[in-house]
Amino acid sequence: MAKEPSTAAEEAGGKSFFKELSSAAAKKALTPLLAAAATASTSYLTRKTTEIWHEDVLPKVREKGGGKAVAREALEKVAGLLSGRSAQLLTEFAQRLGEVAPSDSPADQGSTEKGGETESEAKREEERKQRQQRRQQRQRALQKSAST
């Protein structure tokens, strides 16, 4: 016996209702998880980029004579690749960066500790150690609460 058209339409409507309901429930359940994942990944990326900057990039910038020296070198390289007015403008700008009287670099100022480490570097290192200790304490607390 064939189903009546109204009954078939009602069943199809019922299925789509449950499908929409389950889709909405899934979205509500996943939204906090996705927000937590985004927050965690942002935190991780911020921490890693800061770490990379301090351990890899900053020493190389200081080695080359500071930010102005690096900028001047980069401008000169780009000007070498270009031609015409744009190359001339970049070259002039690079020369202006080189004309500024070099002051004592921040790495040379305030050195009061043995080994040439500045006060601000020592303070940063101490803060880093404290942060690391707090992270370890939080990790231990999480592991302890997870095991109970």
Side-chain angles (χ1 to χ4, degrees), residues 22 87-89 133:
S22 64
Q88 183 182 4
L89 288 172
Q133 289 174 347

Side-chain angles (χ1 to χ4, degrees), residues 16-85:
S16 66
F17 170 75
F18 286 115
K19 188 175 184 179
E20 288 179 27
L21 182 63
S22 64
S23 175
K27 285 180 185 176
K28 287 196 180 239
L30 290 177
T31 300
L33 293 174
L34 293 174
T39 302
S41 62
T42 302
S43 174
Y44 174 78
L45 288 173
T46 302
R47 187 174 63 246
K48 288 306 280 186
T49 53
T50 303
E51 182 181 311
I52 290 170
W53 173 262
H54 286 294
E55 291 178 1
D56 297 334
V57 178
L58 191 58
K60 290 179 183 178
V61 169
R62 286 182 178 161
E63 186 178 287
K64 290 188 174 193
K68 287 183 181 180
V70 171
R72 184 178 62 242
E73 183 180 323
L75 287 171
E76 289 170 350
K77 283 183 180 180
V78 171
L81 298 173
L82 299 174
S83 62
R85 179 78 178 133

